[in-house]
Amino acid sequence: MSGPHTFETAHPAASVAGVRQRSATLNDAQLLDTQHAFDSVAADYDGPRGNNELIQRMRLTLWDTVHSEVPAGARLLDLGCGTGIDAVEFVRRGFHVVATDWSPQMVERTRARAVAAGLQSRVTAVHLGVQQLDQLEGEFDGIYSNFGPLNCAPDLAAVAAECARLLRPGGTLVFSVIGRICPWELGHYALRGRFKRAGVRAARGATAVGMNHHTIWTYYYLPREFYRAFAEHFSLQSYRALSLFMPPPYLVDYYRRRRHWCECLGRLDDRFGAMPLLRDMGDHFLIVMRRR
């Protein structure tokens, strides 16, 4: 389960069906709903749903951030690895990666990708959800998560405690998280009179979002809301908006029709996305934290 990026309002998936109901906390059945949703799309996830041009642009930001924050040759833990695009890239950049995902089909895709690249000796793919990190042993130099798997975590504080256990002192977390305020999304749906859909991210508690005739349960966060769960164990280093001026990934057709204009917007993202106030918005935010 590469994470909500493909399922939520910021994800192509969430845009498909919209909100159906809300839940304060997730139960086992709802976690299985999310697992089955990602299993159902694993075979074609590397196509437009999971890796279009806008997604790849955001992906590169996380890659470069991890590369700059964690020493070469370090051991990384991937939370919500999806089909293994990030894991294989980091191995190519000299890291060793343990890649985990709640979707067994996604884990199989990651293993197959590593084998196809001849990198299976440095990628360990494990069927493990973010709510099961207590089952994982070992010490890591860095932990990353791309495109919102942590938006599916039923207990974010428990995830933070497990990350602190697994990460060496001074180690780094780099997470791409689905944000609560996406100006593009608000405008896109409000102009079409779909006001309920425009306000989906304002939901408190878990929100049910449809993907491929299945349900993904997700929480939306402001950066300060997200960091609050990690503050006991981690110091905040930085955070920035992803796809603030640039359209969110599910509007890739708009991007393709107006590529030059959108690339100009992308340069605004690069220049201003880390500025106060602006960094609290965007389709996702990228947050960097360090183990105390």
Side-chain angles (χ1 to χ4, degrees), residues 8-9 19 22 179-182 185-186 195-207 218-222 225:
E8 67 100 25
T9 78
V19 179
R22 292 171 187 166
R180 187 178 286 284
I181 304 172
C182 179
E185 185 165 292
L186 287 168
F195 299 108
K196 184 177 180 180
R197 179 63 184 80
V200 121
R201 299 190 191 213
R204 299 290 173 174
T207 299
T218 186
Y219 298 86
Y220 300 98
Y221 296 103
L222 291 169
E225 293 173 330

Side-chain angles (χ1 to χ4, degrees), residues 122-259:
R122 297 176 67 187
V123 177
T124 302
V126 181
H127 175 213
L128 195 77
V130 294
Q131 75 279 9
Q132 299 173 313
L133 291 178
D134 60 332
Q135 300 177 25
L136 190 64
E137 296 299 329
E139 185 176 72
F140 298 88
D141 302 289
I143 303 176
Y144 68 90
S145 182
N146 209 0
F147 295 121
L150 295 179
N151 291 85
C152 297
D155 186 342
L156 199 57
V159 172
E162 291 301 325
C163 285
R165 178 181 66 84
L166 292 165
L167 197 65
R168 65 169 178 78
T172 303
L173 303 180
V174 182
F175 296 150
S176 170
V177 182
I178 304 165
R180 187 178 286 284
I181 304 172
C182 179
W184 261 96
E185 185 165 292
L186 287 168
H188 176 73
Y189 287 108
L191 288 172
R192 287 156 179 78
R194 298 180 60 185
F195 299 108
K196 184 177 180 180
R197 179 63 184 80
V200 121
R201 299 190 191 213
R204 299 290 173 174
T207 299
V209 178
M211 182 172 75
N212 202 32
H213 308 294
H214 294 271
T215 299
I216 297 172
W217 293 87
T218 186
Y219 298 86
Y220 300 98
Y221 296 103
L222 291 169
R224 63 177 175 272
E225 293 173 330
F226 185 85
Y227 173 63
R228 195 175 297 139
F230 290 82
E232 179 180 353
H233 307 286
F234 296 89
S235 60
L236 178 63
Q237 300 300 297
S238 65
Y239 67 93
R240 63 171 299 116
L242 297 176
S243 282
L244 170 59
F245 297 100
M246 198 79 152
Y250 58 86
L251 294 180
V252 67
D253 289 341
Y254 177 92
Y255 166 82
R256 289 168 180 167
R257 292 193 303 268
R258 300 167 177 84
R259 192 178 298 265

Side-chain angles (χ1 to χ4, degrees), residues 64-83:
D64 290 345
T65 301
V66 171
H67 199 168
S68 67
E69 294 285 344
V70 183
R75 194 164 184 248
L76 298 176
L77 174 62
D78 183 333
L79 303 182
C81 62
T83 64

